[in-house]
Amino acid sequence: MALGFVAVAIPLQLDRQWITIGWALDGLAMLALWKRLDHPGLKYLGLALLGATTVRLVANPALLGYYPRSTVRIVNWLMYTYFVPAAALLAGGGLLKPLEMKRRAPGRRISTPGGTRSAPSAPGWRRSS
């Protein structure tokens, strides 16, 4: 419950791109805590925060207009606005993958509207029939 209040407090205390960065780091911290405590609420709140971070980066047209463009082309405020959340998303995926792959039973049957079939061996890959 208290971690949810931390997530709500971020937009109240921070401004502009710092909300995005704060939610990304908070989501990563929730996933790291979930790895130690294995409480599903931590995982889902962390994923929700990382999802909100992605939406703010992709669907927020005002993001590019927060500050005027600097003369330095690479190292400027846009770099850390996109780099920190991208690093948090990659690290979150790295935390989730080994634990979630252990939980998935190999050869597990999944139900689809067309009938039952075997689960793919890796996400996005289909077994040849």
Side-chain angles (χ1 to χ4, degrees), residues 18-82:
W18 294 108
I19 296 171
T20 307
I21 293 170
W23 277 348
L25 294 176
D26 194 18
L28 179 61
M30 300 267 184
L31 291 178
L33 190 59
W34 168 75
K35 188 174 178 180
R36 289 186 59 100
L37 299 178
D38 198 22
H39 185 279
L42 291 171
K43 176 174 70 171
Y44 295 128
L45 183 58
L47 289 174
L49 286 169
L50 291 175
T53 299
T54 303
V55 168
R56 281 190 55 90
L57 287 175
V58 173
N60 185 7
L63 182 72
L64 297 174
Y66 285 157
Y67 297 105
R69 303 262 176 171
S70 71
T71 57
V72 181
R73 294 200 181 264
I74 297 199
V75 182
N76 55 24
W77 68 272
L78 275 173
M79 185 184 106
Y80 67 80
T81 301
Y82 282 93

Side-chain angles (χ1 to χ4, degrees), residues 110-117:
I110 58 173
S111 148
T112 60
T116 12
R117 65 179 180 87

